[in-house]
Amino acid sequence: IPSSPLSDPGWTSINRGVLICDECCSVHRSLGRHISIVKHLRHSGWPPTLLQMVQTLASNGANSIWEHSLLDPAQVQSGRRKPNPQDKIHPTKSEFIRSKYQMLSFVHKLPCRDDDGVTTKDLSKQLHSSVRTGSLETCLRLLSLGAQANFFHPEKGTTPLHVAAKAGQVLQAELLVVYGADPGAPDINGRTPMDYARQAGHVELAERLVECQYELTDRLAFYLCGRRPGILDLSELAKAAKKKLQALNNRLFEELAMDVYDEVDRRENDAVWLTTQNHSTLVTERSAVPFLPVNPEYSATRNQGRQKLARFNAREFATLIIDILSDAKRRQQGKDSSLGLGADDDQHDYDSVASDEDTDSELTTMDSSDLSDGPITLQEYLEVKKALASSEAKVQQLMKVNNNLSEELRRLQKEAPKGEWHGSGTDSDYDNTQTYELSLSMGRSSEEEGRGEAEEGGGGEAGEPDPTLPCTEDVILKTEQVTKNIQELLRAAQEFKHESFVPCSEKIHSAVTEMASLFPKRPALDAVHCSLRLLASSASRLQVECRKAAPSDLSSPAVDYQLLTQQVIQCAYDIAKAAKQLVTITTREKKQ
């Protein structure tokens, strides 16, 4: 590498249309492909027209699109500037790169309009018109402002890619595809951009659009080239995993295939990165990209599943790719329709592969540090996806639980005999254990929970009420306080007020301690013991998770607030569940 890295940039960001040096590339890769699609100029495989598109953008000032406001003399006077080449990569350059490409801090801002959505539509119409010309930078600027590459023009009945194909604008077509344009999208008469290119005599462009349409499967197949025969895992576990793969509906299968594609891109760039750096000082933990970065447009479920792909060893990953390729072929040919593929194509989550019997004991301990603990099997990966799906459903349940729990408490209060509403004389020294245990299944309904608790505690038959239990009124009052504090935490999570996590968790922990103190230290009923244990351990876990939202110092690792919020909500769900169980048990026992 020359003394000035920018004098010989070895990498490029395809979707940003800029050339970057090794130093900046280490940051770009950590942003994720949804922000910056990175490729090496010499060591990566390139379709010629795609490379030409990038070079054209870079030489025609694409960089000025992403630094628009910095070129304003007023900004220079205000002190805002680009880092100098001699500035350190961390934190100076890395923060600037994230601000420039992730936050889009310097892109030209359009004036706000009262009618939402009109601006995007206008930009998309301009893009639809502009792609017939050779001005790539104009179209990139429109895309940077929010123009949609797949915009369907209501009057013309076509997308921008149809227009570019008809005009023979190969580089515009490349840019549109990079920004997500569908090469197989039909116009109002059912004709695709490939049809437009062929009818206009642009044979090479038509062939390139076909390549783009099959880029995912072609890239996966290419990744396998050079490997010895026999890499297909024919174990029983692999066969079972393949059947589960075939059972996914088309939408979920496409999402999985795209995630694997991104993982292939990460691994290929990783190999090139290590090859080109040799003993460079850039090869450090800070520049490493050990798994796919979080994409905020995806659910936490999908992001965690994507990151798990990094744990596949070469053999396992190759087996998964082969299964995806073979199943992609089967689906395109329309075979095995008896499997019901495509029946639930409108489903947007992973619930179709989830089971009511799934537990989340593994999920609640999962974080980024788990991703480097060795290889996993294909079966384990699918099981993790199932557990994640179950957790995602429970998060939604929590919102409903907190909305109707107060109403249910009031109902129970009305139903309880009047003679029961008296002060509790129980003075307990219940120890608030901080053991991290999840002893109850999260997949059962309220009715099943009630039956299970009755069986565990011997309360399934009529008998004498347990005199050691507190009065129902006291339990309900404490539960209402717990619920109120949980609702405050949920509002903070919905409004992204992460600084409120710690004080909210402290209030919840205090309310839980007060509620637990109503009960004897060693309750006679096993169901009460299990519920108290879940209540205490969940409150303690909630405190631990919430403290992660406030790093102790600047050297602490960056917080993934999306995954953290899911963990916090899961803990809150467990607390609400345990409190509800205690109210149910107390009410039932007092009625006996």
Side-chain angles (χ1 to χ4, degrees):
I1 303 298
S3 56
S4 175
L6 294 177
S7 63
D8 184 26
W11 299 79
T12 180
S13 174
I14 297 175
N15 56 323
R16 304 303 182 183
V18 295
L19 305 182
I20 52 181
C21 64
D22 289 5
E23 206 174 47
C24 293
C25 177
S26 66
V27 181
H28 275 260
R29 292 190 60 224
S30 69
L31 300 178
R33 294 186 79 252
H34 57 289
I35 302 295
S36 183
I37 303 175
V38 175
K39 209 173 184 69
H40 198 276
L41 288 169
R42 292 180 295 278
H43 295 278
S44 299
W46 279 94
T49 50
L50 180 60
L51 179 59
Q52 185 182 350
M53 184 271 288
V54 171
Q55 291 173 331
T56 301
L57 281 174
S59 60
N60 283 276
N63 191 54
S64 63
I65 293 175
W66 313 109
E67 296 182 357
H68 176 85
S69 63
L70 291 180
L71 301 178
D72 184 351
Q75 296 295 335
V76 177
Q77 295 175 1
S78 67
R80 300 179 69 180
R81 64 170 184 83
K82 292 178 60 174
N84 294 318
Q86 62 270 21
D87 287 337
K88 292 183 178 180
I89 184 67
H90 297 290
T92 308
K93 290 182 179 177
S94 62
E95 288 180 357
F96 175 78
I97 291 171
R98 290 180 183 277
S99 182
K100 177 179 175 181
Y101 295 112
Q102 189 170 29
M103 309 306 295
L104 301 180
S105 300
F106 315 122
V107 170
H108 176 61
K109 301 296 191 299
L110 291 175
C112 296
R113 297 195 182 185
D114 295 333
D115 43 349
D116 292 339
V118 174
T119 298
T120 299
K121 185 176 180 180
D122 288 345
L123 289 168
S124 299
K125 284 188 174 182
Q126 291 181 44
L127 178 68
H128 189 277
S129 175
S130 298
V131 293
R132 71 179 73 250
T133 73
S135 180
L136 274 180
E137 59 275 15
T138 297
C139 292
L140 179 61
R141 189 179 299 276
L142 290 169
L143 289 165
S144 75
L145 295 173
Q148 300 299 302
N150 273 316
F151 173 73
F152 188 86
H153 200 295
E155 290 85 26
K156 308 290 185 180
T158 56
T159 69
L161 194 54
H162 286 94
V163 177
K166 183 177 181 179
Q169 292 292 343
V170 181
L171 304 189
Q172 294 282 24
E174 292 283 2
L175 179 62
L176 289 170
V177 170
V178 164
Y179 272 83
D182 182 4
D187 69 356
I188 195 171
N189 297 313
R191 295 185 299 166
T192 67
M194 287 94 79
D195 295 330
Y196 273 66
R198 289 192 186 97
Q199 291 169 4
H202 307 302
V203 180
E204 291 185 0
L205 175 54
E207 292 177 352
R208 174 60 186 146
L209 288 173
V210 172
E211 290 178 2
C212 291
Q213 187 172 16
Y214 292 95
E215 180 185 0
L216 188 148
T217 50
D218 287 349
R219 177 78 175 272
L220 297 183
F222 181 80
Y223 182 76
L224 297 178
C225 290
R227 297 195 182 278
R228 293 173 299 184
I231 59 174
L232 182 61
D233 188 348
L234 297 178
S235 67
E236 290 303 316
L237 285 177
K239 291 178 182 177
K242 186 172 183 178
K243 288 182 180 179
K244 289 188 177 183
L245 185 71
Q246 292 174 339
L248 293 177
N249 67 46
N250 287 345
R251 181 177 294 279
L252 296 180
F253 177 79
E254 288 173 2
E255 288 183 356
L256 176 60
M258 289 188 289
D259 293 344
V260 170
Y261 179 90
D262 287 351
E263 175 64 11
V264 164
D265 183 80
R266 184 195 70 82
R267 293 190 181 205
E268 286 186 336
N269 273 336
D270 215 32
V272 173
W273 175 258
L274 294 174
T275 300
T276 56
Q277 294 308 305
N278 294 325
H279 300 291
S280 168
T281 56
L282 289 177
V283 183
T284 64
E285 287 188 9
R286 299 192 72 168
S287 66
V289 186
F291 49 83
L292 291 171
V294 171
N295 184 340
E297 294 186 3
Y298 296 157
S299 67
T301 300
R302 185 173 176 184
N303 273 313
Q304 291 186 0
R306 282 164 58 87
Q307 292 183 347
K308 281 289 183 182
L309 289 171
R311 291 177 57 186
F312 280 63
N313 61 30
R315 180 185 180 91
E316 293 162 350
F317 194 52
T319 303
L320 177 60
I321 290 175
I322 290 172
D323 285 348
I324 288 176
L325 290 172
S326 60
D327 209 53
K329 179 180 179 181
R330 178 183 64 81
R331 290 170 190 249
Q332 284 191 345
Q333 293 176 345
K335 295 181 180 179
D336 296 339
S337 58
S338 60
L339 289 173
L341 297 171
D344 300 317
D345 281 358
D346 291 335
Q347 187 168 339
H348 289 266
D349 52 34
Y350 291 113
D351 288 352
S352 62
V353 293
S355 166
D356 288 343
E357 286 75 33
D358 292 330
T359 62
D360 59 339
S361 57
E362 175 187 356
L363 169 68
T364 51
T365 58
M366 182 192 303
D367 57 30
S368 299
S369 62
D370 293 333
L371 299 170
S372 59
D373 58 358
I376 61 172
T377 64
L378 300 177
Q379 179 74 9
E380 182 185 348
Y381 174 67
L382 290 175
E383 291 300 324
V384 168
K385 284 170 68 68
K386 289 167 64 177
L388 288 169
S390 178
S391 174
E392 195 84 355
K394 289 163 198 164
V395 169
Q396 299 304 318
Q397 277 183 285
L398 175 59
M399 300 298 185
K400 297 178 182 177
V401 167
N402 274 278
N403 287 335
N404 63 28
L405 186 54
S406 296
E407 183 178 339
E408 185 171 348
L409 291 173
R410 286 192 293 271
R411 180 182 62 77
L412 290 170
Q413 196 171 19
K414 291 179 181 179
E415 291 178 357
K418 296 296 180 181
E420 291 179 7
W421 302 107
H422 55 78
S424 171
T426 305
D427 212 359
S428 170
D429 59 343
Y430 173 75
D431 60 334
N432 184 22
T433 176
Q434 296 192 8
T435 308
Y436 180 8
E437 297 181 25
L438 285 175
S439 57
L440 300 175
S441 169
M442 301 296 292
R444 297 184 294 175
S445 65
S446 299
E447 293 76 14
E448 289 172 325
E449 287 169 3
R451 288 196 297 270
E453 289 155 1
E455 292 168 2
E456 292 170 5
E461 300 177 1
E464 293 297 322
D466 187 347
T468 65
L469 291 178
C471 73
T472 308
E473 182 184 30
D474 289 344
V475 177
I476 290 177
L477 290 175
K478 295 300 181 185
T479 302
E480 287 178 339
Q481 186 59 47
V482 171
T483 303
K484 178 182 176 181
N485 292 332
I486 288 178
Q487 289 172 336
E488 184 180 349
L489 176 64
L490 290 177
R491 282 193 296 270
Q494 289 174 328
E495 297 171 5
F496 304 102
K497 295 181 178 178
H498 304 111
E499 67 279 2
S500 300
F501 278 13
V502 171
C504 284
S505 69
E506 296 294 341
K507 290 181 183 179
I508 293 172
H509 191 277
S510 177
V512 164
T513 303
E514 291 180 10
M515 182 175 182
S517 68
L518 298 175
F519 293 83
K521 185 175 180 180
R522 293 181 178 81
L525 295 177
D526 288 342
V528 174
H529 175 71
C530 290
S531 297
L532 286 171
R533 187 170 58 182
L534 178 61
L535 185 72
S537 62
S538 300
S540 297
R541 280 195 298 116
L542 178 65
Q543 283 188 304
V544 172
E545 294 296 334
C546 287
R547 286 169 188 155
K548 295 178 182 177
S552 57
D553 54 64
L554 296 176
S555 62
S556 301
V559 179
D560 185 342
Y561 287 107
Q562 186 176 19
L563 299 181
L564 174 62
T565 300
Q566 186 185 22
Q567 298 290 348
V568 167
I569 292 177
Q570 181 65 55
C571 293
Y573 175 85
D574 291 344
I575 294 170
K577 176 173 181 276
K580 178 183 176 183
Q581 289 170 350
L582 289 171
V583 171
T584 303
I585 296 170
T586 305
T587 304
R588 183 184 65 225
E589 290 295 320
K590 289 296 182 180
K591 283 182 179 180
Q592 289 184 0

